[in-house]
């Protein structure tokens, strides 16, 4: 079921057509040349404009400024080679080899990867697969080792997939799988309908099948391939989906499903053959017929197997000079299996002997070609070593030149180091001063808080005394119970400089409940919490809001007549908590900040002043005649 020739040509075509991408160029003296090159790289090449685009690149290749820059000249020649390769012209080899000579002496990894891949494409078109594999792997090594080369995801995926396909051809399955897996994350960033999206998934399934991996390992890629085909049926050749399903069901040993998709693929290849028979189409269809016959043999259905063997035989007779030796071997093996199933063992033995002869001839031809290619590869490696030695010699001379500037650099670095040391010492001094100031502020806040807490306890005990004096024992007990809970919370919070907002709200609610009992339900209250899921993560100074609520109760409502209301609204705006305390007013009318004077209020204002520039207290008059106090309290998130 291998179709190496078709997949090889498929990969070469994709490499030439998809390797074009936007390339940032080095600065040149003439900006017009740089701009022209960028525009040419973005031109979509078609049969109608191909000649004019090649002509423009040829003009750039002859430009004096381009010839002076090795990287730029290599880039121009690479683009010429790419265009000639897409047209199937021999000039592709000339220009890509010139580009290779120029780029080898530079350290530009980006263009090296592109040009190595281009050389691999040319060698593949010349049927020099080992040389092609050598350059494909050099390009892929750059992509795998350096993600910052500046290559687009499109170019990187094409390079990796070309190397993976080449390594699969030479049975380097683990290396092919590694490169294919490296390409898979890249295809998600490619445009919808891009051919590499299909190619990466198809090649992955083929590699897993060749390694005889279980069908479960292929299933995720097959599902993605099905979705891709469903979304873009006009963009992708469905025969690759059928072939991938065949690999899956072959691993599952489900011959019925395997036969179903092999027949579907055969139908597609027959339509392709009818539209224009070529060597690739003919050999693909021949292998299809042989595969169907082999499956029918496995299903013990000799008449149907014979039917497809006859089709393969007729196709061979129509195109005897175009059948590849590998595919002739596939045909002969299928025929031998059919003869064996029919009980014609003598005929099967004769066919198998013919297969052995074909394989021996094929091995000899492959061995001779391999020796020639290995010799060429050896020469290439010698050349590469020579280039590396020359580059190392250049680097040594550059290092010697840099040594002459060493003392100057050392002197400059010493001055810089001294300056950095002084700055560090100054920064340390400033940090120490800042810490001391912060500790001073915290101590001051704790002192003010200790001054305020006795005031609050004094008011509470006065209320208890009033209940006892009036012989309201149950209320006194209930009040003392509430007070003990509030006092416990207050003592726990007093140990910390910052407390969670939810605990502060609970303490405030306890306080309002106590005051409501003290003044015999003379007012109602409402607390609106901020729209934050985790109030415990918002930290603020304790007992900062209570004094303003106390002022609202004592001075902002009619306690004797009843019917007053206190609203406390919490709103979180980034790192500032906005607290609005609103009362309903009393008969004396609106009271400003100066009217609501009390010991706790004065202490609270001092505490607010210590919280920094973001903190503040604002007083306004409400529409109902009451007072609105707005507190802005900086918070931190724990």
């Amino acid at each position: 079921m291998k179709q190496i020739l078709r997949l090889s040509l498929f990969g070469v075509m994709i490499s030439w057509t998809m390797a074009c991408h936007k390339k940032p160029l080095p600065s040149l003296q003439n900006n017009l040349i740089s701009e022209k090159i960028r525009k040419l790289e973005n031109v979509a090449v078609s049969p109608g404009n191909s000649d004019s685009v090649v002509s423009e690149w040829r003009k750039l290749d002859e430009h004096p400024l381009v010839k002076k820059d090795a990287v730029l000249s290599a880039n121009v020649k690479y683009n010429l080679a790419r265009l000639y390769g897409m047209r199937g012209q021999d000039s592709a080899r000339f220009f890509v080899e010139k580009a290779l000579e120029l780029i080898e002496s530079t350290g530009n990894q980006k263009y090296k990867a592109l040009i190595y891949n281009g050389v691999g494409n040319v060698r593949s078109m010349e049927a020099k697969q080992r040389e092609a594999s050598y350059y494909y792997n050099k390009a892929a090594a750059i992509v795998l080792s350096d993600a910052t080369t500046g290559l687009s995801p499109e170019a990187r995926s094409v390079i990796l997939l070309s190397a993976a396909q080449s390594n699969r051809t030479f049975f380097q399955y683990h290396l092919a799988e590694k490169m294919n897996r490296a390409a898979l994350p890249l295809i998600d960033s490619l445009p919808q309908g891009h051919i590499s999206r299909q190619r990466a998934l198809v090649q992955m399934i083929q590699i897993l099948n060749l390694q005889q991996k279980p069908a479960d390992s292929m299933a995720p890629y097959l599902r993605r391939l099905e979705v891709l085909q469903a979304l873009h049926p006009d963009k992708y050749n469905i025969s690759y989906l059928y072939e991938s399903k065949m690999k899956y069901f072959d691993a599952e040993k489900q011959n019925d499903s395997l036969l179903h998709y092999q027949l579907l693929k055969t139908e597609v290849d027959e339509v392709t053959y009818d539209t224009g028979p070529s060597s690739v189409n003919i050999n693909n269809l021949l292998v299809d017929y042989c595969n169907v016959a082999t499956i029918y043999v496995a299903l013990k259905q000799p008449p149907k197997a014979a039917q497809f063997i006859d089709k393969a035989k007729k196709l061979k007779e129509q195109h005897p000079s175009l059948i590849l030796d590998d595919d002739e071997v596939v045909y002969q093996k299928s025929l031998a299996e059919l003869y064996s199933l029919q009980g014609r063992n003598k005929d099967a033995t004769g066919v198998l002997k013919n297969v052995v002869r074909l394989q021996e001839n094929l091995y000899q031809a492959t061995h001779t070609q391999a020796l020639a290619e290995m010799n060429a590869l050896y020469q290439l490696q010698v050349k590469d070593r020579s280039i590396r030695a020359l580059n190392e010699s250049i680097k040594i001379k550059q290092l010697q030149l840099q040594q002459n500037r060493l003392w100057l650099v050392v002197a400059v670095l010493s001055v810089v180091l001294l300056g950095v040391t002084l700055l560090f010492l100054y920064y340390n001094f400033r940090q120490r001063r800042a810490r001391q100031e912060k500790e001073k502020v915290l101590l001051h806040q704790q002192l003010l808080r200790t001054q305020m807490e006795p005031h609050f306890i004094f008011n509470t005990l006065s209320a208890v005394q009033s209940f006892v004096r009036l012989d309201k024992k149950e209320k006194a007990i209930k009040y003392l119970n509430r007070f003990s809970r509030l006092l416990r919370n207050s003592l726990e919070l007093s140990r910390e400089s910052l407390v969670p907002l939810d605990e502060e709200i609970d303490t405030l609610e306890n306080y309002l409940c106590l005051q409501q009992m003290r003044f015999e339900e003379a007012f109602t209250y409402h607390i609106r919490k901020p729209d934050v899921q985790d109030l415990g993560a918002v930290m603020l100074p304790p007992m900062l809001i209570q004094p303003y609520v106390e002022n609202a109760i004592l001075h902002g409502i009619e306690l004797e007549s009843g019917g007053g209301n206190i609203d406390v609204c919490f709103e979180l705006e980034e790192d500032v908590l906005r607290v609005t305390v609103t009362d309903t007013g009393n008969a004396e009318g609106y009271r400003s900040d100066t009217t609501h004077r009390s010991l706790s209020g004065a202490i609270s204002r001092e505490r607010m002043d210590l919280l920094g520039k973001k903190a503040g207290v604002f007083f306004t008059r409400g529409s109902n005649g009451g007072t609105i106090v707005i507190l802005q309290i900086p918070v931190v998130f724990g």
Side-chain angles (χ1 to χ4, degrees):
M1 298 182 187
K2 298 177 185 176
Q3 300 180 22
I4 294 174
L5 179 60
R6 182 179 71 156
L7 290 172
S8 178
L9 290 176
F10 173 75
V12 170
M13 181 178 66
I14 297 305
S15 296
W16 278 119
T17 55
M18 296 304 163
C20 182
H21 61 291
K22 296 182 181 179
K23 311 175 185 78
L25 298 172
S27 359
L28 295 173
Q29 295 177 355
N30 194 329
N31 290 330
L32 292 176
I33 295 294
S34 301
E35 186 61 27
K36 189 170 184 179
I37 289 173
R38 279 192 290 270
K39 286 181 179 179
L40 274 176
E41 288 174 335
N42 293 327
V43 171
V45 181
S46 64
N49 68 356
S50 177
D51 290 338
S52 60
V53 173
V54 169
S55 177
E56 291 299 320
W57 280 112
R58 291 298 295 262
K59 290 177 184 177
L60 281 173
D61 189 42
E62 297 299 324
H63 199 284
L65 289 176
V66 173
K67 289 183 176 182
K68 289 180 181 179
D69 191 300
V71 174
L72 190 56
S73 181
N75 179 26
V76 172
K77 286 180 168 57
Y78 163 75
N79 277 285
L80 279 167
R82 179 179 58 83
L83 291 170
Y84 284 124
M86 291 169 66
R87 294 160 65 171
Q89 295 179 336
D90 293 338
S91 300
R93 176 175 183 174
F94 170 80
F95 282 104
V96 81
E97 288 182 351
K98 288 293 183 182
L100 180 64
E101 290 177 9
L102 289 166
I103 205 65
E104 287 287 18
S105 60
T106 73
N108 193 302
Q109 297 295 94
K110 172 184 175 180
Y111 291 110
K112 278 188 177 181
L114 288 173
I115 292 169
Y116 288 155
N117 190 71
V119 176
N121 290 336
V122 170
R123 295 295 183 266
S124 184
M125 292 173 69
E126 295 172 344
K128 297 179 179 179
Q129 300 301 333
R130 286 172 178 78
E131 285 189 49
S133 180
Y134 174 74
Y135 284 107
Y136 282 143
N137 280 292
K138 287 187 74 172
I142 293 174
V143 173
L144 290 173
S145 64
D146 187 0
T148 61
T149 54
L151 289 166
S152 68
E154 182 181 31
R156 288 158 60 197
S157 64
V158 168
I159 289 170
L160 289 169
L161 291 173
S162 297
Q165 182 174 313
S166 179
N167 284 312
R168 188 192 67 220
T169 302
F170 292 105
F171 312 106
Q172 299 293 322
Y173 298 141
H174 292 293
L175 187 57
E177 182 180 352
K178 174 185 175 183
M179 292 180 177
N180 214 105
R181 288 192 184 279
L184 285 171
L186 299 172
I187 64 173
D188 293 333
S189 61
L190 300 181
Q192 292 295 323
H194 196 288
I195 194 68
S196 287
R197 283 176 171 263
Q198 183 195 51
R199 182 184 180 190
L201 299 171
V202 170
Q203 287 190 190
M204 195 69 209
I205 293 169
Q206 290 171 340
I207 292 168
L208 294 172
N209 179 261
L210 288 169
Q211 295 180 88
Q212 298 182 343
K213 294 289 183 70
D216 290 346
S217 65
M218 306 177 204
Y221 307 107
L222 186 58
R223 285 194 292 270
R224 289 176 64 181
L225 196 59
E226 289 173 334
V227 171
L228 205 63
Q229 187 68 44
L231 290 174
H232 306 283
D234 57 327
K235 297 286 186 180
Y236 301 120
N237 187 345
I238 198 170
S239 65
Y240 289 107
L241 174 61
Y242 294 153
E243 185 175 343
S244 299
K245 284 180 174 286
M246 288 157 51
K247 306 290 185 189
Y248 175 82
F249 288 114
D250 181 46
E252 285 279 10
K253 307 299 181 186
Q254 296 183 17
N255 285 334
D256 290 339
S257 298
L258 176 62
L259 176 62
H260 172 71
Y261 287 105
Q262 178 64 72
L263 289 171
L264 287 176
K265 181 179 180 302
T266 303
E267 289 177 8
V268 173
D269 287 344
E270 283 177 338
V271 171
T272 305
Y273 170 78
D274 291 338
T275 56
S278 66
S279 176
V280 173
N281 296 339
I282 293 165
N283 282 276
N284 286 343
L285 189 56
L286 176 69
V287 173
D288 286 339
Y289 289 151
C290 294
N291 288 340
V292 173
T294 300
I295 297 170
Y296 276 127
V297 167
L299 294 172
K300 309 299 182 185
Q301 298 182 31
K304 291 186 177 180
Q307 178 185 349
F308 280 90
I309 286 292
D310 288 341
K311 286 185 177 183
K313 182 179 179 182
K314 289 177 182 177
L315 189 65
K316 281 181 54 185
E317 291 172 350
Q318 290 174 5
H319 310 281
S321 62
L322 297 179
I323 304 301
L324 298 176
D325 291 339
D326 285 333
D327 295 338
E328 177 64 28
V329 170
V330 171
Y331 169 77
Q332 295 290 342
K333 285 183 176 179
S334 299
L335 182 61
E337 289 176 359
L338 175 60
Y339 285 160
S340 179
L341 180 63
Q342 293 173 335
R344 298 166 60 182
N345 294 331
K346 185 175 180 181
D347 292 336
T349 303
V351 171
L352 287 175
K353 288 180 179 179
N354 189 37
V355 169
V356 171
R357 285 194 297 273
L358 283 171
Q359 287 180 327
E360 286 178 351
N361 294 336
L362 188 60
Y363 173 77
Q364 290 294 335
T366 304
H367 181 66
T368 302
Q369 183 180 359
L371 286 176
E373 288 190 32
M374 293 300 290
N375 182 56
L377 277 177
Y378 174 75
Q379 298 298 329
L380 285 172
Q381 291 170 350
V382 170
K383 182 180 178 181
D384 286 347
R385 284 196 294 270
S386 175
I387 291 171
R388 283 198 296 270
L390 179 61
N391 289 336
E392 288 174 3
S393 175
I394 292 171
K395 287 179 182 178
I396 290 171
K397 289 182 180 179
Q398 289 175 342
L399 288 172
Q400 289 173 345
L401 181 62
Q402 290 173 358
Q403 272 187 334
N404 296 331
R405 305 171 190 168
L406 181 60
W407 289 111
L408 177 62
V409 173
V410 169
V412 171
L413 287 176
S414 300
V415 172
V416 171
L417 183 61
L418 179 61
V420 169
T421 304
L422 292 174
L423 284 173
F424 178 74
L425 292 173
Y426 176 71
Y427 175 77
N428 254 357
F429 173 74
R430 290 289 300 274
Q431 288 291 97
R432 205 160 45 244
R433 284 286 300 274
R435 282 196 300 270
Q436 290 172 353
E437 288 295 327
K438 186 176 180 181
E439 289 171 1
K440 182 179 177 181
V441 168
L442 289 174
L443 288 173
H444 195 182
Q445 285 220 24
Q446 289 176 357
L447 176 61
L448 291 173
R449 202 165 69 238
T450 56
Q451 292 175 3
M452 189 183 70
E453 286 168 358
H455 164 80
F456 167 65
I457 295 171
F458 172 77
N459 288 342
T460 303
L461 292 176
S462 296
V464 174
Q465 185 181 14
S466 175
F467 282 133
V468 173
R469 186 172 61 250
L470 296 174
D471 200 24
K472 297 179 179 179
K473 294 180 181 179
E474 290 185 4
K475 283 192 175 183
I477 292 170
K478 187 176 179 181
Y479 193 88
L480 281 172
N481 185 35
R482 280 276 185 181
F483 173 66
S484 64
R485 288 164 56 189
L486 181 62
L487 187 59
R488 183 172 63 251
N489 288 345
S490 177
L491 289 173
E492 289 175 356
L493 298 181
S494 66
R495 299 176 184 175
E496 305 294 337
S497 59
L498 295 172
V499 297
L501 178 57
D502 56 350
E503 294 183 14
E504 182 71 6
I505 292 174
D506 289 343
T507 303
L508 184 62
E509 191 164 7
N510 272 333
Y511 171 76
L512 280 165
C513 185
L514 282 173
Q515 293 294 64
Q516 195 178 47
M517 291 173 61
R518 175 187 174 190
F519 293 110
E520 298 183 349
E521 310 296 330
F523 69 92
T524 59
Y525 67 88
H526 301 89
I527 297 177
R528 193 171 73 187
K529 299 179 182 180
D531 297 331
V532 179
Q533 290 185 353
D534 188 6
L535 294 178
V538 182
M539 310 294 288
L540 74 162
M543 299 293 289
L544 196 59
I545 305 163
Q546 180 269 336
Y548 295 97
V549 175
E550 179 185 8
N551 267 353
I553 296 171
L554 297 178
H555 306 291
I557 58 176
E558 288 287 351
L559 294 175
E560 294 181 3
S561 61
N565 183 66
I566 304 293
D567 285 325
V568 184
C569 177
F570 293 85
E571 295 176 304
L572 191 61
E573 299 175 356
E574 295 183 353
D575 61 342
V576 175
L577 180 67
R578 181 186 177 94
V579 184
T580 305
V581 181
T582 307
D583 60 50
T584 52
N586 57 26
E588 298 177 10
Y590 171 69
R591 294 175 179 266
S592 66
D593 182 25
T594 56
T595 306
H596 291 199
R597 293 290 183 184
S598 70
L599 175 61
S600 62
I603 293 171
S604 295
R605 279 189 293 276
E606 287 186 48
R607 290 182 66 194
M608 290 289 289
D609 292 340
L610 292 172
L611 293 179
K613 295 180 179 179
K614 292 185 179 181
V617 184
F618 308 96
F619 296 83
T620 60
R621 186 172 184 177
S623 59
N624 61 353
T627 303
I628 299 174
V629 182
I630 300 172
L631 309 178
Q632 292 191 173
I633 305 171
V635 296
V636 296
F637 296 91

